Amino acid sequence: MKILVTDPIADAGLDRLREAGHDVVTAYDVEGADLREQIRDAAGLIVRSGTKVDAELLDAAPELVIVGRAGIGVDNIDIDAATERGVIVANAPEGNVRAAAEHTVAMAFAVARSIPQAHARLKDGEWAKGDYLGREVNNKTLGIVGLGRVGQEVAKRLGALGMDLVAYDPYISESRADQLGAELAELDEVLDRADFLTIHTPLTPETEGLIGSEELARLGDGFVLNCARGGIVDEAALAAAVEEGTLAGAALDVFADEPLDPDSPLLDVDEIVVTPHLGASTEAAQENVATSAADQVIAAINDEPVVNALNAPSVDRSAFPRVRPYIGLAETAGRIAVQLFDGRVNSVEVEYAGDIAEEEVEIVTASALKGVFRPLEVRVNAVNAPGVAEERGIDVTESKTSQSDVFQSRVSVVVSDGEEDIRVCGTLFAGDDPRIVQIDGYRVDAIPHGHMLVARNHDKPGVIGFIGTVLGENNVNIAGMYNGRETIGGEALTVYSLDSEVPDELIEQLEEDERIIRAQYLALNNE
């Protein structure tokens, strides 16, 4: 598979992709129409912050399976557009966590002790010892906006140096904050109490401009640290607050526009320390994010769990071997159900019984939806299937029971129009051999593969022979047959596994016989 890499990453990541057998193409200075041409046949794309992955670029990539971000921030990637097109977006949030946390701590000391300013003056020949009176971090309060991975690592480090920790994060539990020794509070309270304010949130519509002039005024004679994302802090307001003495200083590693404009007001204020987005710039971090992004691209192409997927169902890697066989089974059950169903699908229910009910099955449910929506003239996969259901107003439910019938585990897909429904149940024999064991209440034992014919008929002698004869006369070979009936002489359902497709004329020929209630051809693995 072709993997396109459009921003420089460590050689370790490129080597990982090549060792997996992929064709790696680097295009670091390509953009516009040339980039769209390069991505046309790519299965994977790896970027950093330099490449804008928007709807236009995604539309030029019909083969694309995954966009891997070698780093944590994904504000340069249109995740909604990727999801609509069934493209996984995954980042590498852990690879540079330690590096970003350490850089934040370094920036705290740099601004509190005026290290860059004193260094520059000494290099210029000035011994300005009396001009700088630093502040210690011990017994000071650290306000943390965003207690995610990096925020937690900063809390551990600066908390260990004697700082009191108060944090604003609506998405973290009090118990986790307690473990870190941090007190949770609303943003205004954090600003009022903090001597140092450090920011560790992603850039989103909710966080853009989160810290403006009013918020900066609440800090008093404090310091602002931002090694997360530019745009969260109003840079002009920050420069003014420090220059006017409202704030003691600030240290920034990220900016709303990068590279930073030489005319930025931030550069005119001596008490503001700036670095050119160095938070992840350590040898270990660069290698970690590169190999992490590569591993996730490889996993996506191999239909394995993508552990840091931002828009796709995921499963713990240790649990994946137990769940994986049911992914294909659920998709096939969904495909069978929707092809047999005559009504307009208003709802889909996926039922789990037995051992499989004990597992995390979000990815299995998404695969069942993928099967149901397969006839749509859009690209549907486990990434965008839940969104397709919501967009079309189709209710999706998931139910579990530890009780199963004769099978250790069973997965059922039920499609309904609100009045009529059809249920298709499947299980695994010997751990990984998929079987369809029930269709609309009829017990069968069908191998779900290739081409199938499902015939509903009156249970009378000679029907199966008649169907076999018609198939034979039309050069369609039977690979297997599975029959179920309600009662002797009642209705029966027979599933035929075939070696080739069934033409419409053959279906018409079968249904001309009064003993045949309905005959339906199912295509299970055609693309």
Side-chain angles (χ1 to χ4, degrees):
M1 296 286 192
K2 176 180 174 180
I3 310 299
L4 182 64
V5 184
T6 57
D7 295 314
I9 65 171
D11 289 342
L14 303 177
D15 292 342
R16 189 76 61 93
L17 293 166
R18 294 187 181 108
E19 290 166 2
H22 297 298
D23 177 23
V24 179
V25 176
T26 57
Y28 299 152
D29 298 316
V30 177
E31 55 187 25
D34 291 337
L35 178 56
R36 291 192 293 274
E37 177 61 26
Q38 283 278 13
I39 203 173
R40 181 176 54 82
D41 56 348
L45 171 66
I46 293 182
V47 302
R48 298 208 62 176
S49 58
T51 300
K52 183 178 181 181
V53 184
D54 55 16
E56 184 179 11
L57 184 62
L58 291 165
D59 283 337
E63 305 300 321
L64 196 64
V65 174
I66 181 171
V67 177
R69 167 65 162 96
I72 189 169
V74 290
D75 42 285
N76 58 313
I77 302 172
D78 189 334
I79 297 178
D80 289 339
T83 302
E84 290 172 6
R85 291 155 180 79
V87 177
I88 298 170
V89 177
N91 63 351
E94 297 176 356
N96 58 12
V97 167
R98 183 176 291 106
E102 289 183 359
H103 193 72
T104 302
V105 173
M107 293 288 267
F109 281 111
V111 70
R113 302 301 297 268
S114 303
I115 293 172
Q117 299 91 332
H119 168 81
R121 290 179 66 177
L122 186 56
K123 292 280 283 188
D124 286 340
E126 293 185 65
W127 186 262
K129 180 179 179 179
D131 290 348
Y132 298 106
L133 183 64
R135 298 192 194 180
E136 298 180 10
V137 300
N138 183 49
N139 290 327
K140 300 298 190 299
T141 297
L142 177 69
I144 307 170
V145 178
L147 205 53
R149 290 182 176 91
V150 178
Q152 291 183 25
E153 292 301 316
V154 171
K156 292 175 186 176
R157 286 159 173 76
L158 289 177
L161 293 175
M163 298 196 79
D164 296 323
L165 309 177
V166 57
Y168 168 71
D169 191 325
Y171 306 103
I172 194 167
S173 67
E174 289 190 9
S175 61
R176 179 56 181 152
D178 287 342
Q179 291 173 0
L180 297 164
E183 177 187 347
L184 291 181
E186 293 302 314
L187 180 59
D188 285 350
E189 183 179 350
V190 170
L191 294 169
D192 289 340
R193 293 171 57 184
D195 299 299
F196 291 75
L197 183 76
T198 184
I199 296 160
H200 300 288
T201 70
L203 179 64
T204 67
E206 292 73 28
T207 63
E208 186 172 8
L210 181 67
I211 308 298
S213 56
E214 293 183 8
E215 288 75 22
L216 295 170
R218 301 184 78 113
L219 281 168
D221 189 31
F223 298 93
V224 172
L225 313 171
N226 186 13
C227 296
R229 285 285 150 193
I232 298 171
V233 179
D234 184 327
E235 293 172 3
L238 178 65
V242 177
E243 187 171 29
E244 294 166 1
T246 304
L247 288 177
L252 306 178
D253 184 49
V254 291
F255 309 94
D257 295 309
E258 297 182 2
L260 183 63
D261 191 320
D263 294 327
S264 169
L266 297 171
L267 300 177
D268 296 330
V269 184
D270 191 50
E271 291 81 9
I272 296 179
V273 176
V274 291
T275 52
H277 207 147
L278 300 180
S281 294
T282 68
E283 184 176 342
Q286 293 303 299
E287 184 169 316
N288 289 341
V289 297
T291 55
S292 177
D295 287 343
Q296 295 191 84
V297 168
I298 293 167
I301 292 174
N302 290 342
D303 286 328
E304 294 176 352
V306 180
V307 294
N308 291 318
L310 301 174
N311 64 337
S314 61
V315 62
D316 185 83
R317 191 176 295 276
S318 63
F320 187 64
R322 299 191 299 273
V323 173
R324 182 173 188 171
Y326 293 95
I327 294 174
L329 176 66
E331 179 182 346
T332 300
R335 294 186 67 179
I336 292 173
V338 77
Q339 290 182 76
L340 292 176
F341 190 62
D342 291 326
R344 179 186 297 273
V345 178
N346 288 337
S347 66
V348 178
E349 182 175 7
V350 187
E351 303 171 344
Y352 299 92
D355 291 351
I356 184 62
E358 303 299 320
E359 303 291 346
E360 291 294 329
V361 292
E362 183 184 10
I363 192 170
V364 183
T365 298
S367 296
L369 295 177
K370 175 185 174 183
V372 170
F373 298 138
R374 184 60 178 273
L376 297 177
E377 293 183 1
V378 295
R379 179 179 177 180
V380 181
N381 60 17
V383 176
N384 61 0
V388 171
E390 182 177 0
E391 175 186 293
R392 293 172 178 267
I394 296 173
D395 292 330
V396 178
T397 57
E398 183 183 287
S399 61
K400 293 182 175 182
T401 175
S402 58
Q403 303 298 317
S404 184
D405 38 29
V406 297
F407 304 108
Q408 187 171 354
S409 290
R410 176 171 47 82
V411 176
S412 304
V413 179
V414 185
V415 296
S416 172
D417 62 4
E419 296 181 359
E420 303 291 332
D421 62 44
I422 192 163
R423 180 187 307 268
V424 177
C425 307
T427 190
L428 298 173
F429 287 178
D432 60 359
D433 183 13
R435 299 292 177 90
I436 299 300
V437 294
Q438 188 180 95
I439 295 178
D440 207 19
Y442 293 93
R443 283 289 302 271
V444 295
D445 180 11
I447 300 174
H449 176 75
H451 308 275
M452 294 176 66
L453 175 72
V454 177
R456 296 174 184 265
N457 57 274
H458 297 292
D459 184 33
K460 295 182 178 180
V463 176
I464 292 175
F466 167 70
I467 294 175
T469 298
V470 173
L471 290 170
E473 289 174 348
N474 286 271
N475 240 5
V476 178
N477 190 52
I478 299 174
M481 186 196 76
Y482 322 93
N483 180 251
R485 65 183 183 183
E486 292 178 336
T487 59
I488 297 175
E491 289 188 7
L493 181 143
T494 308
V495 179
Y496 299 85
S497 293
L498 308 173
D499 290 337
S500 58
E501 64 182 282
V502 177
D504 292 341
E505 308 84 70
L506 191 154
I507 296 293
E508 292 174 2
Q509 185 178 349
L510 290 174
E511 292 184 339
E512 286 174 357
D513 190 290
E514 63 180 12
R515 297 169 297 179
I516 307 297
I517 301 170
R518 181 77 184 275
Q520 294 171 274
Y521 165 66
L522 310 180
L524 296 187
N525 59 354
N526 62 315
E527 295 300 326

